[in-house]
């Protein structure tokens, strides 16, 4: 009985491992975020004015990720 239980567990784990290995071949998801109805994916290219906006916003408590999106959209 114990041998059958171990074989069943190994069989289930082996199948799950094959599925996990197959899923790792999928393309990586983009780093996208949306704030104030503005979506941005990937790295931000900010102007000097926008960088100053990000600095001010983060000093006031906004996260840097959010500040980059909002300053790019509204500054």
């Amino acid at each position: 009985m114990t041998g059958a239980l171990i074989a069943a567990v190994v069989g289930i784990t082996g199948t799950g491992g094959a599925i996990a290995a197959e899923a790792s071949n999928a393309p990586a998801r983009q780093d996208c975020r949306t704030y104030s109805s503005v979506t941005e994916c990937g790295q931000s290219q900010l102007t000097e004015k926008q960088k100053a906006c990000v600095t001010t916003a983060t000093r006031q408590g906004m996260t840097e990720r959010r500040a980059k999106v909002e300053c790019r959209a509204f500054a």
Side-chain angles (χ1 to χ4, degrees):
M1 178 73 174
T2 304
L5 181 60
I6 292 173
V9 171
V10 170
I12 292 170
T13 305
T15 303
I19 292 170
E22 185 177 325
S24 66
N25 293 332
R29 291 179 49 188
Q30 282 190 331
D31 176 29
C32 296
R33 52 236 174 253
T34 302
Y35 300 106
S36 301
S37 299
V38 177
T39 300
E40 185 174 294
C41 297
Q43 293 290 342
S44 305
Q45 299 298 320
L46 303 174
T47 65
E48 290 302 316
K49 182 179 177 184
Q50 292 167 335
K51 289 177 185 177
C53 174
V54 170
T55 300
T56 301
T58 54
R59 285 185 182 156
Q60 294 174 356
M62 187 180 289
T63 64
E64 186 174 356
R65 282 176 60 90
R66 182 175 189 144
K68 284 181 178 180
V69 174
E70 291 198 5
C71 289
R72 183 175 168 137
F74 305 118

